[in-house]
Structure formats: structure tokens, C-alpha cells
């Protein structure tokens, strides 16, 4: 009974502490609160939009991939910025009614402040240690970032493999069919392989100029749940590569979609290609062979292959004009026989339903494949009767180019290779150094690096040129938000410390630097600055309260007062600051455990964001108040007063 009475009296006492406000007073408080926060939130949204400017300037494959992401986020943020200053205050006025508890009475907020205040006090008390730890962590992250490998885009697992072996350019139809059948049988013997479809030569389309010597085999894999325990896609490729070591055949491994993209964008069907330009095919072939021999010793270079510019076999028939008159024949007589025997001549046609097919007549394949039998093709002569073709023509197989390739009106050859077991950027850079140091090019000949490396360099240049512009735009937006260079710099300094966590997580996760990782860091810039802006707003509000209470003079404000109100401003609205961080983390962390198609591209994007949010929030909660306090102490000592900025409007 006594405990029930105590609870009733306590409840009555708490009820008596409530203050009844009129509707005008309530709306006035809501208006002032919205004015205090809305400008910071609005400019934070502008900063996030500005930070995505480099993504809009990406071109090529990377631009097509990330432009939808940038446009979607930008449109959402533009609407969000408008709603913050228009709809949000109206909704607050509708729903924020009745009795409200003080912020300190909220159990979560009370627990957060109880944990946070001793930590921030310790950081302020040990200033040099706090700043030293942050600077040391930042310095350590620099060599970590420099040691990371580089690649254009994270390899997307297409759930299939494209096997592209190449054999000698003079291979016969029967031999290429035999090789294709043997390869398909060996590939199907691997337990993880579901279906195999191979093709030799060109398809029935004008856009496919593949020679007969090039094979394309699409390997469809079974679901990963049916794979042998511990087997990965790399293991499957290595196993297939070992089983398919056929003399005279150079293996090549890639994926169907990325292969088509590479061929359309760069003309190279592998990850990297060294294009050799010149005027003579024989010299181009010689230079290409030298490049191949130099690249064999580079670690990470796989499936090394020289595109043949010589070695094709041609049947050449030269008419002996001095013998034609002897037998009473003309050039047309010989050409007609050759055309009929080897090329075929229309004989008749057949109609099947609505389709009409021409029937050509020529010698059988056994006769056409034999040089001796071709020489004995009979010709009818009015003067000498029947004579062999060799009597009036020289017949022989000669070497020639299997396919002539040119770019910009210059003949081109290519040395192609894939990169495995090492990052693309480091491998190609080592290859470039090797070629530049050891290759001696004839006059008028030059090489050019193409493939994915070409895309990597293009993406890097775009990001390097535009990032300084983005930082300037962010700084101007912060200046417009605070009307102070010092406050803008205080919020901007969170960016390098946000990079710390991103660099650490990317490094320990084993991910290479790529355009996807760069997009993740770009998205991190806006998130880090947004949280910093909110912190600076509340710190300035605490200084305004201090000046209103004790006046703006060094005679009335002590260092202890500054410390007390900085801690108060940092701890104020701690729950919304933590919520901003948690919302980002809760939305991104599940991506780390995703395993579906596309997860290998999404993970490099979210890794820097997750690590950066953790370190930037730690820096904002612990270091930003310390730097702010040191700045205000300097102002009070030098000018005898504080610079108080209007954060309400």
C-alpha cells in the first residue's frame, strides 16, 4: 500500500512539472526548432548531391553502370531538400501535440549520454593523445591505400564461363571440328558443368568476323549448392585449363557478357591487349612475337596469345599465258574450269515450300583438298584434246594474312592476355615497364595498351580531375550554411578522417581499388559532412546559450565554462546523431553477406561507406568537439570574445 502511494505521489509530482502551452506558443517553438535545423539539413543535402558530381562525369562502361544510381539518389535528395523546408514543419505541427518528456528522461538517450560524457571528457582532458591517435590512424591509412591493387571494375560473376581457345590460322575444317568435340567432352566431365555449347568460326551474322581457328564455348555451371565442397569458380577454371592442354591450341578464359563488352568497346577480346601498329604485316608479326616473349615473365599474365597477322594458307593458281596459245585455250576457259571445280557453279534449284535453294556443282572435298588431284583437273582443248590443269597453270599453297586488321588507316596486330591471381593495374604497369625498357621498335612502328586497362586509365583521369572541384563546391556549400570559413573548414576536415575506416575495411577485406570503390568513397563524403554539419550546429547553439547567460567577454567566460558548454552541445541531441549513423549502417551491412548475382560489384561500393561511417562518426563525436573547443579558446584569448554564429536562421 505504501509503495503504491509513493508511485502515485511520484506520478503526480511529474505531472505537475508539465507546462501547458497555447497553440501559438507551440507553433512558435516548432518554427524556431525547424529554422535551427532545416538550413543545416538543406545544405547537407546539397553537399551530398555535389559529391556525386564525379559519377555523372564518368563515361563509357562505368558511366552506363553508375549513372542510374547517381540520378536516382540525386532526384530523391532534391525532393528531400524541398520537403525538409516545406512539408516537414507542417507534419510536425500536426503530430507533435500533447505532453512530452524531457530528452533526459528517454532511457536510450540517458544511457547514451551516460556512456558518452566520460569519453568526451577524457578526450578533452588528453588532447594531444586524442589528436595524435587520429593523425596516426590517418597516416597509417595512406600506405594501406597505396598498397592496394587497382582494377577497372570488380569482376561480375555471370554464373557461366566463356572458353575461347585459338589454334593455328591454317587449321582445316575437319581438324577444328575434332578439336571442338574433344574439348566439349573434356569440359562436360567436370562435375560443376551443366551444359556446354561450342562454336568454331563465325556465326551467321555480318558483325562476327571470327576466323575458323577461333573457338567460342559457353559453359553453363550448375547452382553453387551442387558444387563440390570448397570449390570456387577459379578452381573450376584452373582444373579445366589443366585438362585442356592440347598441342597447337592457346586457351583463353573469360565470361560471355564482359567479353562482348570488351570487343565492342576496345576491339580486344581479353582483359588487356597490346596493339602493335605499322605498315608491314611481317614486321608487325615480328614485333608482336617480341612482345609476347617479354610478357611471359610478368606475374599475373595468363592466356597470352599473339593475334596472327601471317600464316594463312591460300591456294594460288597462276595461269601460264605462254602455254595457252599452244593448246588453243583462253584465260576465260581456264577460269571457268577453276571456278566450277573449286568454287562451284549454279546447276539448278530446288523449291521447298516457300523457300528456294540454289544447287551448286563442284568437285568433292577429297579432290579439292589434294594439291596433286587439283593439278590433274581435265581441260578440253580443241587442238590437243584433254590436258591436265597443271599444263597451263602453276598451282601451289602460299602463305598470306589470315585476316587484315586496321585502325585509323594503319595496319594493326595485337598481343592479348588475361590477368588472374593478381590485380590488373599492378600487372599491366609491370608489363608496361618491361616493354618500355626492353623492346626496340623499328621506325614508324608503335604500341598502344588497350582493353580493361584503357578503361581504368580513363576512369582514373576523370576522378582525379573532378575531385578537387567537388571539394571546392562542398566547401562553398558549408560556407553558405555557416557564413564562416572556420566553421566550414571544421566540417570539411571530417572527410579525410572518414577515409580512414574506408581504407582499413577495403584493405582487410582484400578488395582492389576500382571505380566501384571510388563511387563508395564519393557517397561517403556526403554522409560524413552531413553528420559533421549537425554536430557543428549544436556546438554553435551551445555557445549562443553561454553568451546569453554570461555575456560575450573573456572577463566573464572561463575555460571551464567553455568546456562545460562544448560537452553540453556535443551531448545534446546525441540520439539523432547516433540514429543518422545507424540508419546508414543498418542499410549497408546486409550487403556484405549477400551472395547473389551482382553482390561482388555491390560489396566494393559499400565497404568504404561502412568503414568510413564508423570512423567519421567517431571523429565527429570525439574529435570535432575538441577542435571546436580549442578554436573557441583561441578566439577568447586573442580577441577577448567569442564569434557566435546564428544557427537559428
Amino acid at each position: 500500500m505504501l509503495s503504491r502511494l509513493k508511485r502515485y505521489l511520484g506520478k503526480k509530482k511529474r505531472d505537475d512539472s508539465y507546462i501547458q502551452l497555447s497553440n501559438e506558443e507551440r507553433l512558435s517553438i516548432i518554427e524556431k526548432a525547424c529554422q535551427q535545423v532545416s538550413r543545416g539539413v538543406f545544405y547537407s543535402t546539397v553537399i551530398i548531391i555535389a559529391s556525386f558530381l564525379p559519377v555523372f562525369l564518368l563515361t563509357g562502361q562505368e558511366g552506363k553502370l553508375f549513372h542510374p544510381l547517381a540520378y536516382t539518389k540525386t532526384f530523391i535528395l532534391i525532393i528531400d531538400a524541398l520537403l525538409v523546408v516545406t512539408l516537414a514543419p507542417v507534419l510536425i505541427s500536426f503530430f507533435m501535440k500533447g505532453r512530452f518528456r524531457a530528452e533526459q528522461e528517454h532511457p536510450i538517450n540517458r544511457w547514451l549520454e551516460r556512456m558518452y560524457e566520460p569519453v568526451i571528457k577524457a578526450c578533452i582532458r588528453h588532447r594531444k593523445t586524442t589528436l595524435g591517435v587520429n593523425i596516426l590512424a590517418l597516416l597509417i591509412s595512406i600506405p594501406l591505400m597505396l598498397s592496394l591493387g587497382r582494377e577497372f571494375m570488380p569482376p561480375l560473376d555471370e554464373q557461366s564461363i566463356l572458353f575461347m581457345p585459338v589454334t593455328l590460322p591454317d587449321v582445316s575444317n575437319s581438324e577444328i571440328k575434332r578439336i571442338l568435340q574433344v574439348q566439349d567432352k573434356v569440359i562436360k566431365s567436370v562435375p560443376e558443368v551443366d551444359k556446354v555449347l561450342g562454336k568454331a568460326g563465325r556465326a551467321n551474322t555480318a558483325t562476327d568476323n571470327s576466323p575458323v581457328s577461333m573457338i567460342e564455348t559457353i559453359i553453363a555451371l550448375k547452382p553453387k549448392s551442387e558444387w563440390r565442397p570448397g570449390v570456387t569458380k577459379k578452381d573450376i577454371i584452373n582444373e579445366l585449363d589443366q585438362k585442356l592442354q592440347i598441342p597447337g591450341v592457346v586457351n583463353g578464359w573469360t565470361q560471355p557478357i564482359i567479353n562482348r563488352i570488351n570487343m565492342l568497346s576496345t576491339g580486344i577480346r581479353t582483359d588487356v591487349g597490346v596493339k602493335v601498329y605499322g605498315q608491314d604485316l611481317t614486321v608487325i608479326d615480328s614485333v608482336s612475337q617480341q612482345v609476347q616473349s617479354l610478357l611471359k615473365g610478368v606475374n599475373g599474365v595468363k592466356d597470352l596469345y599473339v593475334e596472327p597477322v601471317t600464316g594463312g594458307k591460300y591456294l594460288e593458281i597462276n595461269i601460264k599465258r605462254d602455254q595457252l596459245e599452244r593448246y588453243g585455250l583462253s584465260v576465260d576457259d581456264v577460269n571457268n574450269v577453276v571456278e566450277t571445280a573449286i568454287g562451284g557453279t549454279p546447276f539448278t534449284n530446288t523449291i521447298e515450300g516457300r523457300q528456294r535453294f540454289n544447287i551448286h556443282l563442284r568437285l568433292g572435298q577429297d579432290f579439292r583438298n589434294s594439291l596433286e588431284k587439283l593439278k590433274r583437273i581435265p581441260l578440253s582443248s580443241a587442238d590437243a584434246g584433254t590436258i591436265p590443269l597443271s599444263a597451263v597453270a602453276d598451282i601451289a599453297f602460299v602463305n598470306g594474312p589470315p585476316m587484315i586488321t586496321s585502325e585509323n588507316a594503319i595496319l594493326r596486330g595485337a598481343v592479348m592476355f588475361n590477368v588472374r591471381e593478381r590485380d590488373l593495374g599492378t600487372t599491366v604497369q609491370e608489363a608496361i615497364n618491361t616493354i618500355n625498357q626492353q623492346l626496340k621498335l623499328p621506325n614508324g612502328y608503335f604500341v598502344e595498351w588497350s582493353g580493361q586497362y584503357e578503361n581504368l586509365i580513363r576512369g582514373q583521369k576523370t576522378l582525379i580531375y573532378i575531385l578537387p572541384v567537388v571539394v571546392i563546391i562542398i566547401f562553398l556549400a558549408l560556407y553558405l550554411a555557416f557564413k564562416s570559413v572556420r566553421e566550414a573548414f571544421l566540417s570539411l576536415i571530417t572527410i579525410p578522417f572518414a577515409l580512414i575506416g574506408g581504407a582499413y575495411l577495403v584493405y582487410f577485406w582484400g578488395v582492389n581499388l576500382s571505380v566501384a570503390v571510388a563511387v563508395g568513397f564519393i557517397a561517403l563524403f556526403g554522409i560524413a559532412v552531413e553528420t559533421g554539419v549537425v554536430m557543428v550546429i549544436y556546438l554553435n547553439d551551445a555557445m549562443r546559450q553561454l553568451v546569453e547567460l554570461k555575456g560575450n567577454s573573456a572577463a566573464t567566460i572561463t575555460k571551464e565554462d567553455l568546456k562545460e558548454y562544448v560537452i553540453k552541445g556535443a551531448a545534446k541531441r546525441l540520439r539523432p546523431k547516433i540514429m543518422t549513423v545507424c540508419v546508414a549502417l543498418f542499410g549497408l551491412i546486409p550487403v556484405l553477406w549477400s551472395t547473389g548475382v551482382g553482390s561482388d560489384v555491390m560489396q566494393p561500393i559499400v565497404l568504404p561507406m561502412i568503414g568510413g561511417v564508423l570512423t567519421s562518426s567517431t571523429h565527429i563525436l570525439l574529435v570535432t568537439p575538441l577542435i571546436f573547443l580549442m578554436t573557441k579558446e583561441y578566439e577568447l584569448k586573442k580577441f577577448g570574445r567569442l564569434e557566435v554564429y546564428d544557427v537559428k536562421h
Side-chain angles (χ1 to χ4, degrees):
M1 190 65 165
L2 182 61
S3 62
R4 188 178 300 174
L5 179 62
K6 287 181 179 179
R7 285 199 302 271
Y8 172 76
L9 293 175
K11 182 179 179 182
K12 189 175 188 316
K13 183 177 180 181
R14 288 195 301 270
D15 290 344
D16 293 340
S17 64
Y18 287 110
I19 299 175
Q20 186 72 28
L21 298 176
S22 65
N23 191 53
E24 290 76 11
E25 291 175 320
R26 183 179 66 86
L27 293 178
S28 176
I29 294 173
I30 292 174
E31 180 183 356
K32 292 178 181 178
C34 291
Q35 288 175 350
Q36 179 184 4
V37 179
S38 61
R39 190 172 68 177
V41 174
F42 178 82
Y43 280 105
S44 297
T45 307
V46 172
I47 290 168
I48 295 176
I49 295 174
S51 68
F52 264 78
L53 182 60
V55 182
F56 288 109
L57 298 180
L58 293 175
T59 59
Q61 178 186 344
E62 66 275 20
K64 291 180 175 62
L65 183 61
F66 291 113
H67 281 172
L69 168 66
Y71 278 114
T72 302
K73 187 164 186 175
T74 299
F75 291 147
I76 291 174
L77 290 173
I78 290 174
I79 300 300
D80 174 65
L82 295 175
L83 294 179
V84 164
V85 297
T86 56
L87 182 61
V90 176
L91 294 178
I92 291 173
S93 66
F94 279 125
F95 294 104
M96 292 196 69
K97 298 179 180 179
R99 297 181 175 181
F100 298 96
R101 294 182 179 180
E103 191 172 6
Q104 290 75 16
E105 295 185 21
H106 196 287
I108 296 179
N109 198 76
R110 193 165 56 245
W111 179 80
L112 289 174
E113 290 186 3
R114 189 182 303 122
M115 299 290 292
Y116 175 67
E117 287 189 5
V119 178
I120 185 63
K121 288 179 180 178
C123 291
I124 292 176
R125 189 165 54 250
H126 304 284
R127 301 183 179 190
K128 294 182 179 180
T129 303
T130 302
L131 295 176
V133 169
N134 275 265
I135 294 174
L136 180 63
L138 180 60
L139 294 177
I140 293 176
S141 67
I142 295 175
L144 290 183
M145 292 289 289
L146 295 177
S147 65
L148 290 174
R150 294 178 298 129
E151 61 187 3
F152 171 59
M153 288 291 296
L156 173 67
D157 184 7
E158 301 175 18
Q159 309 293 313
S160 59
I161 301 172
L162 180 62
F163 178 46
M164 295 187 67
V166 181
T167 185
L168 299 177
D170 57 351
V171 65
S172 64
N173 287 339
S174 57
E175 180 63 15
I176 201 69
K177 289 179 183 178
R178 186 191 69 81
I179 293 175
L180 182 60
Q181 292 172 350
V182 171
Q183 289 177 344
D184 288 354
K185 185 176 181 180
V186 172
I187 292 171
K188 195 66 176 69
S189 66
V190 176
E192 286 75 19
V193 174
D194 185 19
K195 297 181 180 67
V196 182
L197 175 62
K199 171 186 75 71
R202 61 177 293 176
N204 189 21
T205 170
T207 60
D208 188 357
N209 60 350
S210 304
V212 177
S213 58
M214 191 174 76
I215 299 174
E216 293 182 4
T217 302
I218 297 178
I219 304 171
L221 301 176
K222 296 178 181 178
K224 290 187 177 181
S225 58
E226 301 180 19
W227 291 9
R228 289 168 289 176
V231 173
T232 64
K233 192 173 182 179
K234 290 183 180 179
D235 297 331
I236 297 174
I237 292 176
N238 292 333
E239 181 179 349
L240 288 171
D241 191 56
Q242 292 176 0
K243 290 184 175 181
L244 292 169
Q245 294 299 321
I246 300 175
V249 178
V250 180
N251 294 342
W253 302 93
T254 180
Q255 299 183 99
I257 298 175
I258 191 63
N259 172 258
R260 297 307 178 195
I261 292 174
N262 288 339
M263 294 182 71
L264 289 173
S265 60
T266 65
I268 298 297
R269 61 176 177 267
T270 53
D271 293 340
V272 187
V274 185
K275 296 179 179 178
V276 182
Y277 293 91
Q279 298 298 332
D280 187 276
L281 291 176
T282 305
V283 180
I284 290 176
D285 182 63
S286 175
V287 173
S288 300
Q289 297 295 337
Q290 294 179 48
V291 172
Q292 181 190 31
S293 63
L294 292 175
L295 293 179
K296 285 181 179 179
V298 178
N299 183 27
V301 173
K302 305 292 182 181
D303 310 331
L304 186 60
Y305 167 70
V306 176
E307 185 179 58
V309 294
T310 60
K313 297 297 183 182
Y314 292 86
L315 178 63
E316 191 174 81
I317 301 177
N318 293 318
I319 298 176
K320 303 176 184 177
R321 294 179 181 270
D322 58 334
Q323 298 293 326
L324 291 179
E325 187 177 355
R326 177 182 177 185
Y327 295 108
L329 297 173
S330 65
V331 173
D332 286 340
D333 294 333
V334 179
N335 286 339
N336 289 334
V337 171
V338 172
E339 179 186 1
T340 302
I342 301 175
T345 187
F347 174 67
T348 183
N349 58 60
T350 178
I351 300 175
E352 299 181 10
R354 298 180 61 189
Q355 294 179 313
R356 183 186 298 268
F357 301 96
N358 291 329
I359 298 176
H360 291 255
L361 185 65
R362 64 177 178 176
L363 293 178
Q365 185 172 349
D366 292 339
F367 288 89
R368 287 183 282 114
N369 289 343
S370 172
L371 191 62
E372 294 301 322
K373 292 180 179 179
L374 289 174
K375 291 180 178 181
R376 294 198 299 268
I377 294 176
L379 279 82
S380 297
S381 168
D383 297 340
T386 302
I387 62 173
L389 180 61
S390 59
V392 293
D394 292 325
I395 305 173
F397 284 108
V398 297
N399 290 327
M403 182 171 62
I404 299 177
T405 306
S406 65
E407 288 186 19
N408 300 321
I410 306 176
L411 294 176
R412 171 185 71 77
V415 181
M416 295 173 282
F417 62 90
N418 291 316
V419 177
R420 292 198 299 272
E421 301 173 4
R422 196 182 182 190
D423 67 282
L424 179 73
T426 307
T427 302
V428 177
Q429 190 58 52
E430 182 181 342
I432 290 175
N433 295 336
T434 302
I435 296 298
N436 291 342
Q437 293 171 5
Q438 303 182 34
L439 180 64
K440 303 298 182 182
L441 288 171
N443 292 333
Y445 292 80
F446 62 95
V447 299
E448 181 183 84
W449 294 83
S450 186
Q452 290 291 322
Y453 185 74
E454 182 181 347
N455 298 329
L456 171 64
I457 297 301
R458 185 187 65 245
Q460 283 182 346
K461 286 183 177 179
T462 302
L463 295 174
I464 290 173
Y465 291 153
I466 196 60
L467 279 179
V469 179
V470 172
V471 173
I472 293 174
I473 294 174
I474 292 176
F475 183 80
L476 292 176
L478 290 171
Y479 175 76
L480 293 174
F482 296 113
K483 304 295 189 210
S484 168
V485 174
R486 186 182 295 116
E487 302 298 315
F489 179 76
L490 189 62
S491 298
L492 192 65
I493 202 174
T494 59
I495 290 181
F497 289 95
L499 298 178
I500 296 175
Y504 277 58
L505 195 55
V506 169
Y507 178 82
F508 289 109
W509 204 270
V511 174
N512 294 322
L513 286 178
S514 63
V515 176
V517 174
V519 170
F521 276 113
I522 289 169
L524 172 62
F525 290 171
I527 297 175
V529 174
E530 179 185 22
T531 312
V533 167
V534 175
M535 173 62 81
V536 174
I537 286 176
Y538 287 123
L539 290 174
N540 276 302
D541 186 50
M543 293 299 100
R544 182 184 58 81
Q545 295 176 14
L546 174 61
V547 169
E548 289 178 354
L549 180 66
K550 292 197 171 185
N552 195 355
S553 172
T556 57
I557 300 177
T558 64
K559 288 187 177 181
E560 291 299 322
D561 293 333
L562 279 176
K563 187 185 301 183
E564 177 186 351
Y565 273 80
V566 165
I567 294 174
K568 179 181 177 181
K572 186 179 181 182
R573 305 294 188 270
L574 183 61
R575 181 163 49 96
K577 298 171 190 173
I578 299 296
M579 284 175 58
T580 304
V581 176
C582 290
V583 167
L585 291 178
F586 292 160
L588 297 174
I589 287 179
V591 179
L592 298 181
W593 285 274
S594 60
T595 56
V597 177
S599 60
D600 39 10
V601 177
M602 288 303 301
Q603 286 180 358
I605 298 178
V606 303
L607 281 172
M609 297 176 67
I610 293 174
V613 165
L614 291 174
T615 54
S616 66
S617 59
T618 304
H619 177 269
I620 290 167
L621 292 175
L622 301 180
V623 183
T624 300
L626 173 58
I627 298 176
F628 186 87
L629 174 62
M630 295 171 64
T631 303
K632 294 305 176 183
E633 288 177 349
Y634 172 78
E635 291 177 4
L636 198 64
K637 181 179 179 181
K638 184 174 182 179
F639 305 109
R641 61 188 302 277
L642 299 176
E643 293 184 17
V644 181
Y645 302 100
D646 184 11
V647 295
K648 296 182 295 181
H649 185 57

